[in-house]
Amino acid sequence: MYLQTRSLWWAMSSALRRSPSMTQQIIKCNFSDGIRNGFKDMVGKTPLIRLPKISQETGCDILVKAEFANGGGSVKDRAALYLVKMAMEEGRLKEGGTVVEGTAGNTGIGLAHVCNAIGMKCVIFMPNTQSQEKIDLLRTLGATVYPVPAVPFTDPNNYNHQAKRFAETHENAYWTNQFDNTANRQAHIEMTGPEIWDQTGGKLDAVVFATGTGGTLAGVGTFMKEKRSDIKVVLADPEGSVLYNYIKHGKFERKGNGSITEGIGQGRVTDNLKNAPIDDAVHVTDKEAVEMTFRLLHEHGFFVGASSGLNVAAAVQVAKNLGPNHTVVTCLCDTGQRYYARLFSKEWLESKGLLDSVPKQYWEHLH
């Protein structure tokens, strides 16, 4: 066995030495049971974890994909990888090129990691309302960051439109367009969905995810419906988003006044979400999301952000609707470290009227 493994390793090493460029290696992502080959193989194959206490309370198995275990630390690494991968396959982006995106969060972080791994430049446009910590992090990761005035999507100076114009006016630059580029959804059709199916042995009853771009829910949902049409695909929506009312009532009406969660909720149907096989939607308040975020930390040991708390709170709603003895799958999107300054601050929670959402026995741990 040792000799076989050693021979395989030398074969892999020789193949890499013969490879024409590091950039081209991203087009094909191969996992092995032991050694993973570079950053691209650190995207995907995340653990699927049962939450014991919450499962016991609902009478269902509540399972979560640990997406913070991706190489860049979030579920958005999957989209980032495929946005670049498919652009290269289609000849829209060549070696040494520049990847451009309008983003205020995890997709930009994922793209910066991917670009570092394959020798490309990364340019990020973001609203100037974002925290200095986010700007500093992206710059530390090697991205060029342009904070621009925060204006509505309908304004030509919206950060997404500025990103598009930048790519159009620079040679070998590509705007990844995470919201409407269906390479995002394809990442979850080809990676996340099959992983969940294999890890559960096909024994699941529902998947539920919050949506920003819509890629995760649409991709996983599409894959699951092709496997078994009776698997429920449920959209989890925060306050201030239109998607709950759109799915339930066919109306683009916001429910609530806005959310403290980041990167989820939407005011339109993105191309990634179009024609997604969605069966139902659940609405999750900030209070429910925050309470679950702190329960995940202090009762299950997972230090995650509020979007993860919202996902699990939504999974609980779905489990209660289905009744006992069902399996519901969602994901933990990223780590709480990215939100430490606000979400885990007593003063900040109090300013948002959310301190009482944190179980009182956990108040002593706030900073």
Side-chain angles (χ1 to χ4, degrees):
M1 179 62 72
Y2 169 77
L3 289 175
Q4 289 176 345
T5 303
R6 189 167 182 265
S7 298
L8 176 61
W9 169 246
W10 279 109
M12 289 169 60
S13 300
S14 298
L16 288 176
R17 287 194 296 271
R18 293 193 302 270
S19 178
S21 71
M22 281 294 293
T23 305
Q24 293 175 8
Q25 293 178 31
I26 199 171
I27 292 178
K28 187 174 182 181
C29 302
N30 294 313
F31 293 104
S32 72
D33 291 333
I35 297 170
R36 297 193 184 192
N37 181 31
F39 180 84
K40 69 182 187 300
D41 284 357
M42 278 299 296
V43 179
K45 291 286 187 179
T46 56
L48 184 65
I49 303 163
R50 181 177 181 271
L51 299 176
K53 189 169 183 178
I54 293 170
S55 295
Q56 184 177 13
E57 290 172 1
T58 60
C60 292
D61 283 329
I62 306 296
L63 309 181
V64 293
K65 284 284 277 179
E67 291 301 289
F68 53 79
N70 286 302
S74 88
V75 64
K76 291 295 186 180
D77 292 350
R78 296 177 184 265
L81 181 69
Y82 264 65
L83 289 167
V84 175
K85 172 180 178 288
M86 293 185 73
M88 292 171 58
E89 288 176 344
E90 295 166 1
R92 298 173 183 267
L93 182 64
K94 297 178 176 61
E95 184 174 352
T98 301
V99 172
V100 187
E101 182 57 274
T103 174
N106 284 330
T107 302
I109 293 170
L111 287 170
H113 279 283
V114 171
C115 287
N116 283 340
I118 61 174
M120 289 191 177
K121 303 178 187 70
C122 183
V123 174
I124 301 295
F125 286 78
M126 63 161 51
N128 61 6
T129 53
Q130 297 300 308
S131 68
Q132 189 62 42
E133 288 93 337
K134 283 187 177 179
I135 296 170
D136 292 343
L137 172 59
L138 283 164
R139 286 175 174 161
T140 298
L141 292 174
T144 299
V145 182
Y146 293 102
V148 299
V151 294
F153 187 78
T154 52
D155 190 307
N157 287 318
N158 175 274
Y159 66 102
N160 281 293
H161 303 320
Q162 292 204 47
K164 180 182 179 183
R165 288 197 297 271
F166 182 96
E168 289 172 345
T169 55
H170 288 75
E171 187 177 355
N172 195 17
Y174 177 72
W175 176 46
T176 47
N177 188 15
Q178 61 167 323
F179 288 94
D180 296 308
N181 184 340
T182 55
N184 178 345
R185 180 173 64 197
Q186 196 65 29
H188 300 284
I189 293 174
E190 294 186 12
M191 296 177 72
T192 320
E195 289 172 28
I196 292 170
W197 181 263
D198 290 343
Q199 288 167 320
T200 60
K203 296 177 181 178
L204 70 159
D205 300 288
V207 293
V208 55
F209 301 100
T211 65
T213 64
T216 305
L217 180 72
V220 173
T222 297
F223 177 86
M224 292 303 168
K225 289 294 189 181
E226 290 174 353
K227 285 292 189 179
R228 258 185 41 218
S229 61
D230 63 321
I231 295 174
K232 300 297 182 186
V233 178
V234 183
L235 184 150
D237 217 27
E239 296 184 66
S241 176
V242 305
L243 295 178
Y244 173 81
N245 276 326
Y246 176 70
I247 298 298
K248 298 292 279 189
H249 309 297
K251 299 178 181 180
F252 284 104
E253 293 181 359
R254 296 189 185 276
K255 187 172 175 64
N257 297 317
S259 176
I260 58 96
T261 58
E262 298 182 31
I264 55 175
Q266 199 36 275
R268 66 185 179 97
V269 175
T270 64
D271 284 356
N272 278 295
L273 200 57
K274 282 179 183 175
N275 302 316
I278 300 171
D279 296 298
D280 200 1
V282 294
H283 177 71
V284 182
T285 66
D286 280 355
K287 289 181 179 294
E288 292 168 324
V290 169
E291 178 186 5
M292 186 58 74
T293 301
F294 280 86
R295 288 196 62 194
L296 286 167
L297 174 57
H298 293 289
E299 298 172 20
H300 290 274
F302 293 109
F303 184 37
V304 293
S307 58
S308 299
L310 186 143
N311 272 345
V312 176
V316 169
Q317 286 193 42
V318 172
K320 289 178 178 178
N321 292 338
L322 290 174
N325 303 314
H326 290 89
T327 298
V328 181
V329 179
T330 187
C331 77
L332 303 181
C333 308
D334 57 11
T335 75
Q337 186 61 46
R338 291 181 180 175
Y339 314 97
Y340 173 77
R342 298 199 302 175
L343 184 57
F344 299 90
S345 160
K346 185 175 181 179
E347 181 180 352
W348 185 85
L349 287 165
E350 200 163 21
S351 74
K352 298 296 181 181
L354 291 169
L355 181 59
D356 287 339
S357 303
V358 180
K360 287 191 176 180
Q361 63 268 34
Y362 306 140
W363 284 18
E364 64 179 293
H365 304 295
L366 296 170
H367 64 81

